[in-house]
Amino acid sequence: MQAAAGAPQSRYLFGTDSVRVLLVAGARPNFMKIAPILRSLDEAGEEAVLVHTGQHYDRQMSDAFFRDLNIRAPDHYLDVGSGSHAVQTARVMEAFEPVLEEVRPDWVVVVGDVNSTMACALVAVKLKSSLGCRVAHVEAGLRSHDWRMPEEVNRVVTDRVADLLLTPSPDATPNLVAEGIPEGRIRFVGNVMIDTLLESLPRARARGLPASAAELDVYALVTLHRPSNVDDRESLGVIFEALERLNDRLPVVFPMHPRTRRNAEAFGHEDVLGRFRVIDPVGYLEMLALSDRARIVVTDSGGLQEETTVLGVPCVTLREQTERPITLTEGTNRMAPWPLTVAGILESCRRAGTEGRQEVGAKTPAGWDGAAAARIVSALAEAGAVAAGAD
Ligand code: UD1
């Protein structure tokens, strides 16, 4: 296979043997991160094995992303499904171990901070001495410093056991160094999710908005799924009251995560939902089109904080803190005052709305340039060469 322009000459770097890379994806925010890495590995002629844990399994939470991002069918599907953190993590570990023993890759590449990320990293590090596989973590070093977030536990554990820490922004390095991780293991590669965004934006614009929002000139795009916001009756009540008031001035378009819908119904908010434009979760291209055309985005998602920064769309984040502070200092993101109040959320939305949008790419942190996947493959190649001599 031909090497892509700008992609590493991996055969040269790795030597004559092909390198086998096992890529793990489990949940919605993983899919846009693995897509460009898989493509770069394929283009470089390396052997890539894709494992989907099945943490997310609904058509709109999983298949739609494979379709929109042209990701080939996984080589192994673990079918773990939903469960408590312990159950889900344990199921991934149990199901992943025999796959790893069968595939025997040189690298296990995990991305992001979901339960599947940590579970597969743990399995791989424990089999390292018998199989020789090493772990690379893409999106290493992000920290919210909030141990109540399951993702923070997943990030810290994954980074601690990984051999190669591939960071999306320069602020991640000091976080890792402060935890005692040797600088030699850390490589700044940039934000691979932005590779997917920049590549997909023309297609998303051509596809247009979902039917339920198609006639709107202006709207606020809202997404919520964090347990701290949606599993708590009082928090969800405050957020919904603010959104109702916002909706009086700016229609609220709300693709709703299954967790949020379940809780909204359980907490008796069916009537409020009827006032918003609530739609089922949408695929990648429709979500990108919705974000791109929004007056403001109101969210608790980490990925949307980054995507709105590149799109130049003002974002209001409904969380106590963010593990992506670069979107505040070098992007279009702002945090609603904490603890959340109706007035605080509305004031943040008002300010975001008056700010207006900027050109795509006008505010872009270093390394959010569409070439992160090529740098990731390069980093795997170089670390592979060093380790081959050292181990
Ligand atoms: C997970 C990730 C979170 C990520 C989010 C994106 C962890 C700890 N959390 O949270 O970091 O931001 O994905 O969506 O890994 N469900 C379905 N269909 C599905 C998947 C889930 O109906 O395809 C429902 C189930 O009721 C499930 C609930 O959603 O119990 C939560 O799913 P889960 O994967 O446990 O966590 P998320 O909240 O999606």
Side-chain angles (χ1 to χ4, degrees):
M1 219 179 284
Q2 282 285 305
Q9 298 298 314
S10 57
R11 255 184 223 299
Y12 167 71
L13 287 166
F14 283 129
T16 49
D17 291 338
S18 161
V19 166
R20 189 174 292 167
V21 178
L22 186 157
L23 264 174
V24 175
R28 191 168 61 172
N30 293 161
F31 304 134
M32 51 285 235
K33 294 168 196 164
I34 57 121
I37 304 174
L38 196 55
R39 201 172 313 119
S40 285
L41 286 166
D42 284 347
E43 285 170 354
E46 302 304 345
E47 193 182 346
V49 177
L50 178 60
V51 175
H52 185 338
T53 67
Q55 175 174 344
H56 283 175
Y57 43 86
D58 279 348
R59 199 170 50 78
Q60 285 302 91
M61 302 289 282
S62 175
D63 299 5
F65 286 77
F66 276 69
R67 181 200 62 213
D68 284 357
L69 301 174
N70 295 319
I71 306 172
R72 60 176 161 80
D75 300 290
H76 298 268
Y77 184 71
L78 307 185
D79 199 15
V80 300
S82 300
S84 69
H85 287 279
V87 165
Q88 191 173 61
T89 305
R91 277 197 204 136
V92 175
M93 290 181 75
E94 273 193 316
F96 183 58
E97 189 177 54
V99 171
L100 189 57
E101 282 171 329
E102 182 194 322
V103 176
R104 301 180 79 90
D106 300 290
W107 283 104
V108 173
V109 175
V110 295
V111 301
D113 56 16
V114 302
N115 285 344
S116 302
T117 309
M118 181 191 70
C120 293
L122 278 177
V123 171
V125 72
K126 294 205 173 197
L127 288 178
K128 182 177 171 182
S129 53
S130 58
L131 300 184
C133 58
R134 289 181 303 142
V135 178
H137 183 206
V138 172
E139 204 182 88
L142 300 187
R143 294 291 181 269
S144 67
H145 305 288
D146 180 356
W147 281 97
R148 292 166 303 179
M149 284 182 79
E151 294 82 1
E152 184 72 356
V153 178
N154 294 342
R155 290 180 201 116
V156 171
V157 172
T158 305
D159 284 342
R160 185 65 186 83
V161 301
D163 299 281
L164 181 60
L165 296 112
L166 301 168
T167 62
S169 48
D171 54 344
T173 301
N175 291 336
L176 294 168
V177 171
E179 290 172 16
I181 292 179
E183 280 198 57
R185 281 199 215 156
I186 306 169
R187 281 286 295 270
F188 168 52
V189 292
N191 191 335
V192 75
M193 208 174 67
I194 304 307
D195 290 19
T196 300
L197 184 152
L198 295 175
E199 198 259 332
S200 309
L201 190 55
R203 278 191 299 140
R205 286 181 168 168
R207 163 88 62 103
L209 299 178
S212 46
E215 93 289 4
L216 295 175
D217 286 333
V218 289
Y219 59 87
L221 176 67
V222 175
T223 80
L224 290 174
H225 72 283
R226 295 269 160 224
S228 54
N229 283 333
V230 306
D231 288 3
D232 182 86
R233 181 185 294 271
E234 203 179 320
S235 302
L236 196 60
V238 167
I239 295 171
F240 275 0
E241 193 182 330
L243 293 178
E244 256 190 291
R245 303 259 294 274
L246 177 66
N247 190 55
D248 292 339
R249 282 176 280 149
L250 191 59
V252 163
V253 178
F254 199 155
M256 196 165 278
H257 189 286
R259 175 194 282 276
T260 310
R261 187 183 285 275
R262 195 185 55 212
N263 290 342
E265 287 167 3
F267 300 156
H269 291 299
E270 287 96 336
D271 53 331
V272 187
L273 296 190
R275 291 196 270 283
F276 306 141
R277 288 179 192 242
V278 174
I279 54 178
D280 284 336
V282 291
Y284 181 77
L285 292 176
E286 282 185 323
M287 191 62 188
L288 185 52
L290 277 168
S291 314
D292 179 44
R293 292 269 300 275
R295 170 65 62 88
I296 60 171
V297 171
V298 182
T299 191
D300 58 13
S301 145
L304 263 175
Q305 294 171 48
E306 297 180 342
E307 287 164 344
T308 47
T309 278
V310 174
L311 291 171
V313 173
C315 178
V316 175
T317 295
L318 304 185
R319 290 199 14 213
E320 188 170 1
Q321 72 305 95
T322 176
E323 64 286 338
R324 292 162 164 93
I326 202 157
T327 61
L328 302 170
T329 53
E330 295 185 32
T332 59
N333 189 20
R334 54 162 45 76
M335 311 291 295
W338 195 267
L340 295 176
T341 60
V342 173
I345 295 171
L346 283 172
E347 177 58 13
S348 297
C349 291
R350 191 191 62 75
R351 287 186 188 199
T354 44
E355 205 167 77
R357 86 167 282 174
Q358 309 182 17
E359 292 289 305
V360 173
K363 283 188 162 184
T364 306
W368 297 26
D369 57 359
R375 287 190 290 268
I376 288 168
V377 174
S378 225
L380 291 172
E382 283 165 28
V386 171
D391 280 355

